[in-house]
Amino acid sequence: MKKKIALVGRPNVGKSTLFNRLGVQKKAIVHDRPGVTRDRKYADAKIGPLEFIAIDTPGLEEAEEGQLEYRMMQQTMISIMEADLVCLVVDNRTGITPTDRFFAEMIRKNNKNYIVIANKSESKFDYDKEYHKLGFGTPVPISAEHGQGMADLYDAIVEKVDFTESEDSLDPIKSDSLQIVVAGRPNAGKSTFINAIVGNERLLTGPEAGITRESVEISWQYKDNQMKLIDTAGLRRRSNVTKSLERLSTGDCIESIKFANTVILMLDATIALEQQDLTIANYVIDQGRSLVIAVNKWDLVKDKADYKDEFEYKINKLLAQVKDVPVVYMSALNKENINLVLDECVNIYKLWNKKISTSKLNDWLSFALDNHPLPLHKKLGRRVRIKYITQTKTRPPTFKLFTNDPSSIPDSYKKYLINTLRADLGMPGVPIRFYFVKSDNPYAKKK
């Protein structure tokens, strides 16, 4: 399995910048404000010919038990203990601080393999004796932002880590894995849900709203299904997203949705269905992703039967473009129905990939047209004909319909066809796309 290298240090020393520099793909938000990273993050990384798993960690800050900073430090402690190499990242511009020395001692107590990286060393680097007092050996001066010093970092890593036994990644992601994004407003319980699924405190949680600021990916195997669970920052109303950091988090979430297979929209059962929830749902549908709605904190609802009736009536009315979106009522805290959410994700993912034969489609089309014929064209005085249908792609299911006059087919009739296909061919809750194109006139070329 691949070796793990953890990047550790106090806030704003450039850990996430280095994480992105080493990573095969950019994974971390970078911002001038300290404390952006709050969960440990894993990514396939490479430096020269070496391939490994890089771990980005929250900035280390002394804090009392129970505080958010203390829980962040626990995330970092897990990374320190599991890593094959711990890189203490310090800021060369400010030099060694008491906080650096404190956490250097903590690293030494919990891991035997470590180096110190002096980041932000774009200008001349002075091998100050304070670096050597840390007991981490010769510091490695780099500039993560500009990519300077990577050859020296490579040499330092090779000296400390034996890569001859490194084989496959600890958490392999198959190309056909089901990518599930968990989205929703802040404090709906997204991270608590993922922690309940994986069975440990993998993600930082707490009563504070907006703890998660970056999309965090976790590999998971569920009933022979390879999954990638992606936790995202809570999406707020655009008018409320005023800080630059929140704009970055919002963009990170939106990008995750674009490349997802399925999106779990996590709602708080104690808060009424709001326009922001519908905005997220509509965005997921517009992007052609499959959608599962998870109503969290179900244990706090008293009149459950009335709640279900009202909620499902609203969803079917307000998300009319996709009928019968799966809805699961759950409690992440009590682990109630959490597996049912994943079952629905697997089911709708299969529907999202469903391929229907052309003969079956045209049998359905003939039945739909006979059951509810197109209205008469007001100007032509005759009905427009839809002659043929074929499925052009999946993910989402997309269909091309050939007609003699595409512009004359009313939107209401298009909705009728989509809803009828969804009901008759068993595709509830899946976005469906219809494209109407003008068919060739077989007599046009004849004299």
Side-chain angles (χ1 to χ4, degrees):
M1 60 181 63
K2 288 186 178 180
K3 301 294 184 179
K4 291 182 178 180
I5 297 179
L7 308 178
V8 176
R10 55 188 172 84
N12 215 30
V13 294
K15 299 183 299 297
S16 293
T17 304
L18 180 56
F19 182 74
N20 286 338
R21 173 68 61 182
L22 297 173
V24 176
Q25 294 180 328
K26 183 177 178 180
K27 297 280 186 178
I29 291 176
V30 178
H31 196 274
D32 292 334
R33 175 179 168 180
V36 171
T37 302
R38 289 178 170 177
D39 292 292
R40 65 189 193 276
K41 299 184 67 175
Y42 299 76
D44 288 323
K46 185 176 182 180
I47 183 169
L50 302 179
E51 295 183 358
F52 53 93
I53 301 294
I55 311 174
D56 192 19
T57 63
L60 293 172
E61 296 180 271
E62 294 185 65
E64 296 180 359
E65 186 172 352
Q67 292 182 334
L68 174 60
E69 290 76 14
Y70 181 84
R71 302 199 301 274
M72 290 165 63
M73 187 169 69
Q74 288 181 311
Q75 292 282 314
T76 302
M77 280 296 301
I78 294 171
S79 301
I80 291 172
M81 290 187 286
E82 70 176 344
D84 297 288
L85 175 68
V86 180
C87 300
L88 175 61
V89 183
V90 300
D91 187 337
N92 177 52
R93 297 172 186 169
T94 59
I96 302 300
T97 68
T99 304
D100 294 324
R101 287 191 286 271
F102 174 84
F103 289 113
E105 181 62 26
M106 187 180 75
I107 292 169
R108 279 200 300 270
K109 289 180 179 179
N110 292 280
N111 198 305
K112 302 300 181 183
N113 209 22
Y114 39 75
I115 62 174
V116 58
I117 297 174
N119 191 29
K120 305 181 185 179
S121 299
E122 295 86 353
S123 57
K124 183 180 178 180
F125 177 74
D126 185 10
Y127 287 89
D128 190 271
K129 62 182 179 181
E130 289 299 316
Y131 284 97
H132 296 279
K133 287 182 179 180
L134 293 175
F136 276 50
T138 303
V140 183
I142 70 163
S143 171
E145 184 176 1
H146 298 97
Q148 298 173 4
M150 293 298 108
D152 293 333
L153 179 58
Y154 167 83
D155 292 338
I157 291 174
V158 169
E159 187 177 342
K160 288 284 187 176
V161 180
D162 181 8
F163 283 84
T164 58
E165 299 177 357
S166 181
E167 297 176 358
D168 294 329
S169 168
L170 178 67
D171 295 316
I173 299 292
K174 297 180 181 178
S175 60
D176 60 348
S177 63
L178 171 53
Q179 298 189 67
I180 301 175
V181 167
V182 186
R185 286 179 289 158
N187 216 30
K190 300 181 292 297
S191 298
T192 303
F193 167 72
I194 291 182
N195 284 344
I197 290 294
V198 302
N200 61 61
E201 295 300 310
R202 173 62 183 82
L203 299 172
L204 194 61
T205 61
E208 305 90 345
I211 288 178
T212 302
R213 285 174 172 169
E214 304 170 88
S215 295
V216 181
E217 301 176 1
I218 299 171
S219 301
W220 189 246
Q221 189 82 17
Y222 178 72
K223 294 183 179 180
D224 298 325
N225 296 287
Q226 183 69 28
M227 295 182 173
K228 186 195 293 183
L229 301 173
I230 305 172
D231 189 24
T232 62
L235 283 169
R236 305 174 188 270
R237 287 191 183 94
R238 186 174 296 276
S239 59
N240 292 341
V241 181
T242 56
K243 298 178 181 178
S244 60
L245 174 58
E246 286 190 292
R247 283 197 293 270
L248 286 170
S249 298
T250 300
D252 197 35
C253 178
I254 288 173
E255 283 300 307
S256 296
I257 290 174
K258 286 180 180 179
F259 294 100
N261 303 138
T262 299
V263 177
I264 299 172
L265 175 56
M266 188 74 61
L267 306 181
D268 185 336
T270 64
I271 301 175
L273 185 67
E274 294 186 353
Q275 183 59 44
Q276 178 66 0
D277 301 315
L278 297 171
T279 299
I280 299 171
N282 279 307
Y283 181 77
V284 172
I285 293 166
D286 289 344
Q287 292 298 316
R289 308 299 98 183
S290 54
L291 175 66
V292 174
I293 296 177
V295 183
N296 191 24
K297 307 181 185 180
W298 187 235
D299 52 307
L300 303 179
V301 175
K302 294 181 180 180
D303 195 342
K304 291 179 167 52
D306 285 349
Y307 187 105
K308 282 186 178 181
D309 290 342
E310 182 179 358
F311 183 84
E312 289 171 16
Y313 170 78
K314 287 182 178 179
I315 286 296
N316 283 322
K317 182 179 180 180
L318 298 173
L319 295 179
Q321 70 273 40
V322 176
K323 294 289 186 182
D324 301 319
V325 171
V327 179
V328 180
Y329 302 90
M330 51 155 285
S331 170
L333 194 62
N334 296 334
K335 299 185 178 181
E336 177 187 354
N337 287 341
I338 57 173
N339 286 343
L340 184 56
V341 177
L342 294 186
D343 289 337
E344 290 289 359
C345 288
V346 171
N347 291 336
I348 202 164
Y349 175 70
K350 291 177 181 177
L351 294 178
W352 192 61
N353 283 277
K354 187 173 182 178
K355 179 70 175 177
I356 304 172
S357 69
T358 301
S359 60
K360 189 173 184 179
L361 280 172
N362 282 280
D363 288 343
W364 163 82
L365 179 63
S366 177
F367 173 81
L369 292 173
D370 290 342
N371 190 54
H372 183 53
L374 271 161
L376 287 172
H377 193 288
K378 293 181 180 179
K379 293 183 178 179
L380 300 178
R382 57 180 172 80
R383 299 186 193 280
V384 177
R385 296 179 59 198
I386 300 176
K387 304 176 182 178
Y388 189 75
I389 181 174
T390 185
Q391 185 173 358
T392 56
K393 65 184 287 289
T394 59
R395 307 165 67 96
T398 303
F399 304 89
K400 183 182 289 187
L401 294 91
F402 298 87
T403 173
N404 60 334
D405 192 358
S407 62
S408 297
I409 300 175
D411 290 340
S412 59
Y413 198 82
K414 294 176 182 178
K415 290 179 182 178
Y416 157 74
L417 288 175
I418 290 175
N419 290 334
T420 304
L421 183 144
R422 179 180 286 115
D424 292 348
L425 300 183
M427 304 180 75
V430 179
I432 292 174
R433 292 176 175 171
F434 270 20
Y435 292 98
F436 293 82
V437 297
K438 186 173 178 60
S439 57
D440 293 331
N441 183 347
Y443 303 102
K445 296 182 179 179
K446 293 184 177 182
K447 294 182 180 179

